[in-house]
Each structure stands twice: as C-alpha cells, then as structure tokens.
C-alpha cells in the first residue's frame, strides 16, 4: 500500500498531526479525523441573510482523499465559498463555523487573504465550535469578531515540522539507503539518515520565517501590538476563558447568541449608531460627503444647462428671428458689465415730437446686434492693437456669404480676437 506524502510544514496541533500520520500508516480500514464522501457538507448555507461557511477538520491547500475518506479539507474550496458569498447580494454577513486543529502552511496565506478580502466586502465573523487551532486561527484572525463557547479550545499559534527517521529500522531489516544529491542542503530532513545539527538549524530557519508570517497575520487581524501577539503565540492552546483574557477571542457565548448579535449589528439604526459609535458615524458621514460632492457638482452643472436651455427657448418664442443673436450672446459667456456698457447703443431714435421709438422691430434688432458685438469681448485690451475697421470688414464679408449678422460677428470675433477687441473698445468709447 502506498501512503500519501504529507507536506513538511504544518500550522497544526502536534497531536492532531500525529493522529493524521498514524491514520495514513494504518491503511484504509482506519477511521481517523475525516468524513466519507457521502457525509460531506455543502460549502456554505444561507439563512436570513447570514452565510455560514463550515471549516471542520484538518486542512490543506487541495485537500486529501484517501480511499474515499476525506482526511484533509481543501483550503481552496473554503476560499471559493468566501468569494461566492461576498458577491451574493442576498448575504448580509458571513460567519466561519470553525472546528479545526489547523492544517498545512502551504495554502494558508492564500486562504487568509480570501478571508480579508471577503471581510472588506461584508461583515465577517468567526465561531470557534470546539477547536480553533493553529492554521484555523491564522485564517480566523481576519474576522471582525471571534466568539466561542466556554469549553472551546483556541490558540496553538505556531509552526511545526515532523521528521521521522527510519535508519535503525532499515538497518535491522538489512536495507541500506544511499542519498545522492546535488546541493548541500538538497537532502536535508530525509528519513533514512539521522538529522545533523547543521541540517536541523537549516530547517529551523524555514520554520521561523513562516512563524513570522503567522505573527504578522494575527497582529494585523486582531489589531494588537507585537508584544501582545507574542504573548498569545507561544504555541499554547487556551480554554475559552483564558483565550478571552489573552485577546484571542472577543466573546464567550452560545452559537445562537452570537448569531443573534451578528444580525442585530447589521440592523442597527442611525440612533443606535450615533449613541454607541459616534466616531463611526462621523467617518461614515465624511465618506458619504466625499462620494456625494462630485455628484452634486455634476447635478448643478446639468441644472444650469437645463435652465439656460429653458430661458433660450422662452426667448426664441418671444423674439422670433432675432433668437439666433441671443443664442450667440449666451453661448459666448458675455458678462453683465459688458452688456451694461452697451446700453446707450440699444436706444433707437424716437419719432419726431414723441417719446416712442420710430420702429419697435429696429429697436429690438439694434439691441440684439449690440449684444452680439459684445459676445466674445476680452477682459483686457492692449492700447496698441490695430484699428477696429478690419473687424467690420470681415463681418460684412461673412454676411455676403449668406450668414446672419450675429453669426458673422461671432465667427469673426472667435477667429480675430485682436481686431474684435479694438472694435469693441471703440464702440464703448462712442457710447460714453
């Protein structure tokens, strides 16, 4: 019988790792810590908006099936479930339902990242349903809150590697192995020769490096200092009361109470939020204002455009043919001051012996033409610019091409700003 090769580095309770190795050595009739294919639970369930993801048993990156018996649960399947519930619009919050001694180092950082990503999308909690040890705690440390019943065991933060040596047994059986390798450390930790001090130190370096990653994950996930992290990460397993004092968990309660608390948190109203978490309310308001500012600015701009279009439409209905000149004035951005400077030009000659204009239509046309002439006037005009006669010559040329006077003046002012500026300055002088 071929026994599957186990990974070399584990974040797992030592006794659970030993039991797993013994199960594999005993063969297919052994019934260790696993489930048959028929007993496998779904990746998650959803009830009243809460997605519950079971994490039960030892874990490895891809899982391990042995003669139809699941000995290791797949970290990647758990990560896939996290990704799915994070995208599920019916899910309001996520709870990891954990009963696990840990698992392999390979794959746990990927799973921990999946937890942090899901927690950024939706509130994520973890429940220690009996045992939350080593890699299982590494994963759960990214949760918003961790709770456990009074009898639960939590902790065992550390990294372990199991080295088994069979040189004496092989010698007694008359079997002799010769290791052939290129690279001084290539055969470090092999099972057919004793482990030297040098090779032990080399393997310990790798274990220490992974342990540092574990500490960083707990430090970041629990929001505690390195000093406090080291106090809870010496490999000990804690009963729930001790785990609470050490800062490993946040609450001791029943599973039903914890789920009730989770649901209460996502239905908290504004008054409760303001009373219990004033700093969070301020942060949320600031974030909303930040997101709303561009939308308000766009709304104001759109409103201004709509109002301008409405006013132009009303003017068109009143002014008829002269509306084109008005459009030119509005679109050019002419200022109120410029229009006021031209007001004297907008008064037509009166009929002899009366105070009435000679002709209402010429009055309206002269006024609108004067506005059109002011449409693109610059704020400042240099005193040494050329005479403005050229401007009207260009305007007349445009009119001879069939353009209206307002349109002609707009195009010439746009293409010949200097001539237009001098012409406008002369008009303003004449009006004084």
């Amino acid at each position: 019988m071929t026994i599957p090769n186990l990974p070399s580095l584990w974040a797992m309770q030592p006794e659970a790792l030993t039991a797993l190795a013994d199960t594999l050595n005993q063969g297919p009739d052994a019934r260790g810590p696993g489930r048959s294919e028929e007993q496998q639970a779904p990746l998650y369930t959803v009830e009243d908006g809460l997605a519950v993801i079971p994490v039960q048993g030892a874990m490895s990156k891809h899982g391990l099936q042995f003669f139809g018996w699941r000995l290791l649960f797949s970290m990647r399947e758990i990560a896939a479930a996290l990704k799915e519930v994070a995208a599920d619009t019916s899910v309001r919050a996520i709870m990891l339902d954990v009963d696990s001694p840990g698992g392999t180092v390979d794959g746990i950082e990927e799973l921990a990242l999946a937890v942090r990503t899901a927690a950024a999308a939706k509130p994520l909690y973890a429940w220690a349903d009996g045992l939350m040890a080593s890699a299982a705690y590494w994963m759960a440390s990214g949760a918003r809150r961790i709770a456990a019943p009074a009898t639960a065991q939590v902790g065992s933060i550390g990294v372990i590697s199991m080295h088994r040596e069979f040189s004496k047994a092989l010698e007694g059986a008359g079997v002799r192995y010769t290791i052939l390798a290129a690279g001084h450390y290539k055969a470090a930790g092999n099972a057919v020769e004793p482990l030297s001090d040098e090779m032990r130190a080399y393997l310990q370096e790798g274990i220490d490096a992974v342990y540092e990653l574990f500490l960083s994950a707990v430090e970041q996930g629990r929001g505690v200092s390195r000093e406090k992290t080291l106090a809870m990460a010496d490999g000990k397993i804690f009963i729930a009361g001790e785990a609470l004092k050490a800062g490993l968990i946040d609450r001791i309660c029943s599973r039903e109470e914890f789920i009730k608390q989770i649901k209460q948190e996502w239905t908290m109203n504004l008054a409760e939020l303001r009373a219990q978490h004033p700093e969070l309310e301020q942060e949320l308001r600031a974030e909303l204002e930040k997101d709303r500012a561009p939308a308000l600015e766009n709304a104001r701009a759109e409103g201004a455009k709509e109002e301008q279009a409405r006013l132009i439409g009303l003017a068109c209905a009143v002014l008829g043919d002269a509306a084109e000149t008005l459009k030119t004035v509005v679109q050019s951005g002419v200022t109120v001051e410029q229009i006021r400077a031209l007001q004297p030009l907008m008064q037509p000659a009166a009929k002899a012996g009366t105070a009435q204009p000679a002709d209402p239509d010429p009055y309206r046309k002269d006024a609108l033409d004067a506005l059109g002439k002011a449409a693109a006037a610059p704020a400042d005009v240099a005193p040494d610019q050329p005479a403005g006669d050229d401007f009207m010559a260009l305007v007349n040329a445009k009119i001879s091409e069939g353009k209206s006077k307002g349109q002609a003046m707009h195009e010439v002012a746009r293409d010949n700003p200097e001539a237009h500026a001098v012409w406008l300055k002369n008009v303003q002088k004449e009006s004084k």
Side-chain angles (χ1 to χ4, degrees):
M1 178 185 65
T2 301
I3 297 175
N5 292 323
L6 292 179
S8 59
L9 285 181
W10 293 78
M12 187 170 175
Q13 274 188 305
E15 56 268 33
L17 180 57
T18 301
L20 176 63
D22 290 343
T23 298
L24 292 174
N25 284 324
Q26 291 172 25
D29 292 332
R31 287 298 178 262
R35 291 182 179 181
S36 67
E37 288 296 308
E38 291 76 16
Q39 295 174 310
Q40 291 179 23
L43 291 179
Y44 68 92
T45 57
V46 180
E47 182 178 350
D48 297 330
L50 178 64
V52 178
I53 301 177
V55 182
Q56 299 174 348
M59 303 176 290
S60 69
K61 181 191 288 186
H62 301 289
L64 176 62
Q65 304 287 338
F66 190 49
F67 288 93
W69 196 254
R70 175 181 277 187
L71 297 177
L72 294 173
F73 291 78
S74 171
M75 293 178 179
R76 286 195 167 170
E77 286 186 0
I78 299 169
L82 284 163
K83 183 176 181 180
E84 190 171 335
V85 297
D88 190 339
T89 56
S90 68
V91 172
R92 301 285 301 277
I94 306 166
M95 188 180 83
L96 297 170
D97 191 359
V98 183
D99 185 9
S100 170
T104 61
V105 165
D106 183 28
I108 186 57
E109 179 59 24
E110 179 183 338
L111 177 55
L113 176 60
V115 169
R116 294 194 298 271
T117 302
K122 293 178 181 177
L124 188 146
Y125 304 82
W127 167 253
D129 188 20
L131 179 63
M132 183 188 285
S134 211
Y137 188 81
W138 187 335
M139 168 198 67
S141 64
R144 173 180 293 191
R145 194 169 294 109
I146 303 174
T151 56
Q153 298 180 37
V154 182
S156 189
I157 298 175
V159 182
I160 186 173
S161 178
M162 180 180 292
H163 177 259
R164 290 193 173 190
E165 186 217 326
F166 302 100
S167 58
K168 294 293 184 181
L170 294 172
E171 184 179 346
V175 179
R176 182 176 181 179
Y177 275 80
T178 302
I179 301 295
L180 303 175
H184 184 64
Y185 295 99
K186 185 64 177 177
N190 72 79
V192 297
E193 60 183 8
L195 190 64
S196 68
D197 291 341
E198 180 187 10
M199 294 304 170
R200 177 188 292 272
Y202 165 69
L203 296 175
Q204 186 65 47
E205 288 179 5
I207 293 172
D208 292 342
V210 175
Y211 180 58
E212 176 63 28
L213 292 175
F214 200 160
L215 291 176
S216 297
V218 174
E219 183 179 357
Q220 178 182 352
R222 298 297 295 167
V224 296
S225 66
R226 175 53 62 97
E227 182 180 4
K228 187 166 184 178
T229 301
L230 287 170
M232 64 175 75
D234 59 359
K236 289 182 181 178
I237 191 79
F238 299 90
I239 297 297
E242 297 173 342
L244 182 63
K245 292 177 182 178
L248 286 162
I249 63 175
D250 303 289
R251 187 181 180 190
I252 297 176
C253 60
S254 68
R255 188 175 188 274
E256 290 72 20
E257 288 174 332
F258 189 46
I259 291 176
K260 182 179 179 180
Q261 180 191 27
I262 292 171
K263 293 183 178 181
Q264 285 176 342
E265 287 187 8
W266 84 50
T267 57
M268 178 182 293
N269 60 38
L270 184 59
E272 292 171 334
L273 177 65
R274 185 180 294 113
Q276 299 177 27
H277 303 282
E279 74 291 346
L280 181 58
E281 183 200 6
Q282 293 174 0
E283 291 177 8
L284 289 172
R285 287 188 182 278
E287 192 67 26
L288 286 172
E289 287 296 329
K290 181 180 177 182
D291 293 339
R292 190 173 62 172
L296 287 175
E297 189 62 31
N298 291 336
R300 290 191 188 103
E302 289 299 321
K305 289 181 181 179
E306 291 177 3
E307 180 63 11
Q308 185 183 87
R310 186 182 74 85
L311 292 175
I312 290 176
L314 291 172
C316 290
V318 174
L319 300 176
D321 295 339
E324 187 175 354
T325 303
L326 179 61
K327 287 183 182 179
T328 302
V329 173
V330 174
Q331 292 171 358
S332 69
V334 63
T335 66
V336 175
E337 289 74 15
Q338 290 171 334
I339 294 176
R340 285 175 178 170
L342 295 172
Q343 280 180 347
L345 297 179
M346 299 180 187
Q347 304 299 328
K351 291 182 180 180
T354 70
Q356 299 299 320
D359 186 350
D361 288 337
Y363 169 84
R364 184 180 60 191
K365 186 176 185 300
D366 290 343
L368 291 172
D369 283 347
L371 289 175
K373 294 171 185 178
D380 297 308
V381 179
D384 57 348
Q385 287 181 332
D389 295 341
D390 294 340
F391 177 76
M392 286 309 301
L394 293 171
V395 169
N396 291 331
K398 290 279 186 182
I399 292 174
S400 66
E401 295 174 0
K403 297 183 181 294
S404 67
K405 188 173 182 180
Q407 186 177 7
M409 293 184 74
H410 175 70
E411 292 182 3
V412 174
R414 180 194 62 202
D415 299 334
N416 302 272
E418 292 183 0
H420 176 255
V422 174
W423 173 83
L424 182 63
K425 183 177 180 182
N426 292 338
V427 171
Q428 291 172 338
K429 285 181 180 180
E430 294 173 359
S431 65
K432 292 180 180 179

